């Protein structure tokens, strides 16, 4: 006879919930990244910076603070994961399913004893003394009662696990999922809060990219002009011997050579 095993519904649960312990490692790496971003400094040419350059140079620090805020919320879940989620699931597996295993062992033991008593009783000679037969009948009935009681306890234990799964097991997972939903909700709120800053930064970065492209084009044109003049043996307005070409930035983000 094959009995339903409640453990089949929870197979792999121990391994699965242990995966939660991988999250702290991820959180630590995220915090390390955030720390590096906050401590990172851009090196700029010249003594002054434009507003765009100041904003861009501070952007990594903002990214680092954003990551820190998110990881702090994640840490709140992970810090309570053992007591609020993992331990209740472990207890459910150990106590409830463990009880089913115990009752199954008792049931198997009583089943074997009862079947052996039946075989012994059936093979008994009818020529035996009446008192002996009555005693054998009484022993068989006693084994039958023990078998029935063990069967009922085993079935009851299985039924209890299946019923408890509907509230104890699901309730724990509901709490776990609710915590993560709150985490994502907070992360979304933080993202919305940073959205104007991110859009402004995107515009400034694009302006810087466009300025760089224009600068490269102007620098290339200037270098070609100097090369052409020198090849033709014409005097150039810009000195080419004994001087170093220096690039400076004006307050308006333009570039010029001297």
């Amino acid at each position: 006879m094959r009995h339903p095993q409640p453990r089949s519904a929870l197979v792999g649960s121990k391994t699965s919930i242990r995966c939660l312990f991988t999250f702290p490692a991820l959180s630590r790496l995220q915090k390390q990244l955030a720390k590096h971003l906050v401590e990172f400094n851009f090196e700029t040419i010249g003594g002054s910076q434009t507003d765009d350059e100041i904003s861009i140079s501070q952007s990594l620090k903002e990214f680092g603070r954003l990551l820190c805020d998110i990881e702090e919320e994640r840490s709140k879940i992970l810090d309570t994961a053992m007591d609020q989620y993992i331990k209740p699931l472990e207890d459910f597996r150990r106590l409830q399913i463990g009880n089913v295993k115990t009752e199954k062992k008792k049931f198997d033991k009583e089943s074997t004893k009862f079947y052996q008593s039946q075989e012994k009783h059936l093979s008994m000679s009818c020529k035996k003394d009446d008192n002996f037969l009555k005693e054998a009948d009484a022993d068989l009935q006693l084994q039958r009662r023990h078998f029935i009681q063990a069967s009922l306890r085993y079935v009851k234990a299985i039924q209890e696990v299946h019923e408890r799964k509907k509230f104890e097991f699901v309730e724990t997972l509901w709490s776990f999922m609710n915590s993560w939903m709150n985490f994502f909700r907070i992360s979304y709120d933080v993202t919305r809060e940073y959205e104007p800053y991110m859009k402004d930064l995107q515009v400034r970065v694009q302006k810087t990219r466009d300025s760089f492209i224009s600068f490269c084009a102007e620098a290339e044109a200037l270098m070609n002009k100097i090369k052409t003049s020198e090849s033709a043996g014409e005097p150039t307005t810009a000195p080419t011997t004994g001087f170093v070409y220096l690039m400076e930035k004006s307050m308006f983000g333009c570039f010029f050579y001297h």
Side-chain angles (χ1 to χ4, degrees), residues 121-138:
H121 194 273
L122 290 173
S123 62
M124 190 178 300
S125 174
C126 59
K127 297 180 179 180
K128 294 285 185 180
D129 183 77
D130 288 343
N131 291 333
F132 180 85
L133 294 175
K134 288 180 180 179
E135 184 177 347
D137 288 340

Side-chain angles (χ1 to χ4, degrees), residues 126-172:
C126 59
K127 297 180 179 180
K128 294 285 185 180
D129 183 77
D130 288 343
N131 291 333
F132 180 85
L133 294 175
K134 288 180 180 179
E135 184 177 347
D137 288 340
D139 289 339
L140 180 62
Q141 290 301 320
L142 180 62
Q143 290 298 331
R144 181 174 179 275
R145 283 197 298 270
H146 289 168
F147 168 73
I148 293 175
Q149 290 174 1
S151 301
L152 293 175
R153 287 194 300 268
Y154 181 38
V155 172
K156 179 175 177 289
I158 294 175
Q159 186 65 27
E160 283 184 354
V161 169
H162 283 287
E163 292 302 317
R164 284 178 178 273
K165 281 193 299 183
K166 298 175 183 178
F167 53 94
E168 284 189 10
F169 182 67
V170 175
E171 215 170 37
T172 301

Side-chain angles (χ1 to χ4, degrees), residues 220-236:
E220 186 70 24
L222 179 59
M223 287 190 295
N224 290 335
K225 181 179 178 181
I226 294 174
K227 289 178 182 179
T228 302
S229 299
E230 290 181 346
S231 298
E234 299 176 358
T236 59

